Amino acid sequence: MTDEEGNQLIISGPPQAPFDTNICLQELLLTTLRKHNVKSIAQVEVETSRELTYGHLIRECLSVVQGLKAEGVGEGTVMAVISFNSQEAHVITLAGFFLGATMTPIDPSLTPDEISYLLEMVNPMIVYTEGGKTLRKTEAALANLSFEPLLIVSGKQKHPYTSFQALLQPTDPEFRPTINDPEEHISFILFTSGTTGLPKGVQLTNSYLINLLNAAHNKMELTSLLTSPLFWLTGVKILFTGLFGGWKMVFVRGPVKENVVLSTIQNYKVNVWSTSPTALQGILVSPYKNAYDLSSLMIVYVAGACLGADSTLKMQKEIFRNRTPILQAYGMTEIGIVSVTTLSYNKPGSCGILRPGYSCKIESLENGEPLGPEMQGEICIKGPYLMKGYINNPEATAAVYDEDDWFHTGDIGYYDEDCFLYVVDRLKDLIKYKSYQIAPTELENVLKTHPAVGDVAVFGMPHPIDGDHAIAFVAAVRTVSETELLEFVAERVSPNKQLRGGIRFVEFIPHTATGKPKRRALRAQLIAEMQNSKGTPRSWKMAQKLAIRAKKKPPNELLQSHVKWRSS
């Protein structure tokens, strides 16, 4: 498809190599694992230094398979895993996967109310979690449910629930995974905020995962660092890619400081690391960036957000001494990984070329017409194996596809004459704090429950380290302090969703014709004011105090930012 001047209006990746959609990914993975050297290290847990060989990993997975079978787990059973990375979380995820269960990883940093909302959405029969604070949160979440799942808990803490150790049963050497309809089978449900509103459950089929993983990997002796949790698509991809490839997977349990990541790369001679731009930005400004030997790194992949050309080149020079290339990818949970840069096809600042089978068009924000090269608009995608849909939400599923089956990403971007894709902004209102997505509607709904709040608009403000900080414009109906509202929100949402940008009081909130707050207009207005203002905002100081209370202290760079604006 071209315009009158011959410009290409739809770009496509290479033809996709056909694969058997009836292939059982569960069987393929187990067969592959059984072929690996049983003495090779499969996993290393950095915080505890625990190692698991491929032989031990297979035996433990198959042992838990028998324990889960005894509890009635089988094809179609929904299992929730509320945990950061751990050997137990990985083993029970793989065991459930081999049995044909639908695995649903959940972020343990969420509040009990947020966790219970997600659990109600998917109605799991089994919930796995770990002890300590996460167990207490999970208990509170389960108390709010309309059903009673079986709770399985790992760790040494005493509790009245089924222990992870109790699942370890004698293995069946003849066990072989079977799935009735592999192409349509839902293997994972991952949660995302979609384009607007509260989180949605994205259903991922076996075919989606095969397309994501390119499962026929050549065996390579590589060491990969896993810092992404399983409740992110990148976490699932990195874990499964490493297992298919027979790699050594070095992982951290949860969010870690920059010096821990750097020391891990040095101590374990990490070759491949997939991370986010905010993590690299944190290292760039860290005093530890020159204290470690990172020469083992062959490639650093960046996903979740896009780095500009200047930032990419600066990071390659100042962090990796131009010895390690930074390669970017673009995608989202609903559509998988759409484009990638490679060693052969790499332009700094771009997200690379389209993967096999994908097509892309850039749609005008004004009239919906397809645009040519170098013209910015909404990125729309077609592909052979996208999500099956949002669970129990056909309206939301239908809303992201147009009549020609193009998926509307809500991202603004363009492609160049060489068909390299660039992402420059987000059309959707989602706030991205570090690698977490925050729905403004969720924070607005919390604030609206305060008796002093008449109307509110929440949006993200750019931050040099964290990506975005959520800020609220509030039209109050009676006198209320900023401190009171910040504390009100802090008590009701998880640490990642705090109003780190603070609160500004206004007389009214402008709305569109359909009743939505004009967030983008407010954001642009505030940025313009910030450029001419002086002083450090009181709201940043208050947000820092609240984050400390939540044991989620922001990095010191918050107080060193050059962005200043007038306090309300």
Side-chain angles (χ1 to χ4, degrees):
M1 182 179 182
T2 59
D3 61 14
E4 295 179 355
E5 299 177 356
N7 291 315
Q8 196 169 0
L9 298 180
I10 295 177
I11 60 173
S12 299
Q16 184 180 48
F19 64 83
D20 185 359
T21 56
N22 290 316
I23 191 172
C24 179
L25 182 61
Q26 290 78 358
E27 181 182 4
L28 178 61
L29 177 57
L30 184 55
T31 300
T32 302
L33 289 175
R34 284 170 165 159
K35 292 179 180 179
H36 294 329
N37 186 338
V38 295
K39 295 183 179 180
S40 295
I41 302 299
Q43 292 195 335
V44 181
E45 190 174 86
V46 171
E47 288 85 348
T48 63
S49 299
R50 289 194 300 165
E51 294 184 348
L52 204 64
T53 66
Y54 273 98
H56 288 141
L57 176 65
I58 295 170
R59 286 196 297 272
E60 193 154 314
C61 285
L62 295 182
S63 179
V64 173
V65 160
Q66 296 305 311
L68 291 176
K69 284 179 68 176
E71 297 294 347
V73 175
E75 183 175 352
T77 300
V78 178
M79 291 178 55
V81 176
I82 306 173
S83 175
F84 290 112
N85 286 316
S86 72
Q87 287 185 356
E88 291 82 4
H90 292 169
V91 165
I92 199 168
T93 297
L94 291 170
F97 176 76
F98 289 142
L99 285 169
T102 297
M103 304 309 300
T104 309
I106 293 177
D107 183 355
S109 71
L110 298 175
T111 66
D113 286 345
E114 292 166 336
I115 293 172
S116 61
Y117 175 82
L118 301 182
L119 291 174
E120 284 282 2
M121 190 188 305
V122 298
N123 195 23
M125 187 181 87
I126 302 283
V127 173
Y128 163 82
T129 192
E130 49 195 2
K133 182 179 178 181
T134 302
L135 175 57
R136 293 192 293 273
K137 278 189 179 184
T138 303
E139 288 176 316
L142 295 182
N144 297 329
L145 299 181
S146 58
F147 58 95
E148 295 184 12
L150 173 67
L151 181 58
I152 298 172
V153 182
S154 64
K156 298 180 180 180
Q157 177 182 351
K158 292 184 178 180
H159 55 77
Y161 311 107
T162 301
S163 70
F164 176 83
Q165 292 298 319
L167 294 179
L168 298 174
Q169 302 295 322
T171 63
D172 175 8
E174 302 300 320
F175 173 75
R176 177 180 174 182
T178 56
I179 302 295
N180 289 323
D181 188 355
E183 184 175 11
E184 294 297 319
H185 175 70
I186 305 299
S187 293
F188 277 83
I189 296 176
L190 299 183
F191 295 104
T192 176
S193 294
T195 54
T196 58
L198 294 171
K200 305 174 184 70
V202 183
Q203 301 176 98
L204 308 181
T205 64
N206 268 21
S207 296
Y208 172 107
L209 290 175
I210 293 173
N211 188 53
L212 176 77
L213 299 169
N214 289 327
H217 289 286
N218 293 322
K219 186 176 179 181
M220 301 176 66
E221 293 185 0
L222 293 175
T223 299
S224 176
L225 174 59
L226 175 63
T227 53
S228 298
L230 290 184
F231 46 84
W232 293 350
L233 180 65
T234 50
V236 175
K237 174 177 170 54
I238 296 164
L239 175 64
F240 277 65
T241 298
L243 293 174
F244 271 112
W247 300 354
K248 177 192 290 186
M249 182 71 64
V250 180
F251 68 87
V252 293
R253 292 182 63 90
V256 293
K257 296 180 179 179
E258 288 81 11
N259 62 314
V260 174
V261 171
L262 294 172
S263 65
T264 299
I265 294 171
Q266 172 184 277
N267 296 340
Y268 290 96
K269 306 298 182 186
V270 170
N271 307 125
V272 181
W273 180 34
S274 297
T275 186
S276 66
T278 51
L280 288 180
Q281 181 65 31
I283 291 176
L284 183 65
V285 299
S286 170
Y288 304 104
K289 69 179 180 181
N290 296 319
Y292 297 93
D293 179 8
L294 308 181
S295 60
S296 63
L297 270 176
M298 299 165 57
I299 295 176
V300 173
Y301 291 101
V302 174
C306 291
L307 281 170
D310 292 343
S311 296
T312 301
L313 295 173
K314 184 176 183 180
M315 289 174 179
Q316 285 183 164
K317 178 181 178 181
E318 296 189 17
I319 299 176
F320 305 113
R321 300 292 181 266
N322 287 328
R323 292 176 298 195
T324 304
I326 296 176
L327 304 181
Q328 296 200 64
Y330 172 67
M332 55 197 302
T333 308
E334 291 92 333
I335 58 179
I337 297 176
V338 172
S339 67
V340 293
T341 55
T342 67
L343 294 176
S344 301
Y345 296 94
N346 185 15
K347 290 186 180 182
S350 84
C351 299
I353 57 176
L354 294 179
R355 292 182 62 229
Y358 282 99
S359 296
C360 171
K361 71 172 180 177
I362 305 299
E363 190 171 280
S364 169
L365 302 181
E366 297 179 356
N367 57 26
E369 293 297 320
L371 302 174
E374 309 293 344
M375 301 179 69
Q376 294 186 12
E378 184 180 8
I379 299 172
C380 301
I381 298 294
K382 275 188 180 180
Y385 301 107
L386 309 187
M387 69 168 179
K388 189 169 184 177
Y390 298 117
I391 187 170
N392 299 327
N393 201 338
E395 296 84 4
T397 302
V400 293
Y401 290 95
D402 62 24
E403 61 275 11
D404 296 319
D405 292 328
W406 286 96
F407 182 94
H408 287 244
T409 66
D411 291 324
I412 298 174
Y414 66 94
Y415 57 87
D416 64 18
E417 294 287 350
D418 297 319
C419 295
F420 279 75
L421 185 64
Y422 297 77
V423 180
V424 296
D425 202 350
R426 295 191 300 276
L427 174 62
K428 53 196 174 183
D429 289 327
L430 281 182
I431 301 164
K432 185 162 284 191
Y433 169 69
K434 295 188 175 179
S435 295
Y436 289 86
Q437 292 183 339
I438 304 171
T441 303
E442 185 175 1
L443 294 174
E444 288 168 357
N445 289 338
V446 170
L447 279 166
K448 286 177 181 178
T449 64
H450 192 285
V453 175
D455 201 358
V456 60
V458 173
F459 51 93
M461 287 297 294
H463 184 271
I465 305 297
D466 298 335
D468 289 327
H469 280 181
I471 184 173
F473 272 39
V474 171
V477 294
R478 65 169 175 81
T479 302
V480 62
S481 70
E482 180 183 35
T483 299
E484 180 180 343
L485 291 183
L486 286 172
E487 291 178 339
F488 182 82
V489 173
E491 294 170 358
R492 289 163 175 78
V493 301
S494 55
N496 297 316
K497 298 179 181 178
Q498 302 296 318
L499 288 169
R500 286 176 165 80
I503 292 173
R504 286 176 66 96
F505 292 99
V506 295
E507 293 184 3
F508 69 96
I509 303 294
H511 289 266
T512 66
T514 58
K516 297 180 180 179
K518 294 184 176 181
R519 299 189 185 98
R520 296 184 71 194
L522 290 171
R523 184 174 183 267
Q525 176 185 332
L526 185 54
I527 290 176
E529 292 180 11
M530 288 167 59
Q531 294 173 346
N532 299 316
S533 63
K534 296 180 180 181
T536 302
R538 291 182 294 108
S539 51
W540 273 15
K541 297 176 182 178
M542 177 55 64
Q544 186 187 39
K545 291 179 181 178
L546 293 173
I548 293 172
R549 292 179 194 172
K551 297 182 180 179
K552 192 74 174 180
K553 184 177 180 179
N556 291 333
E557 287 84 357
L558 274 176
L559 302 181
Q560 301 170 1
S561 168
H562 296 296
V563 181
K564 299 180 182 294
W565 54 289
R566 183 174 62 251
S567 176
S568 57

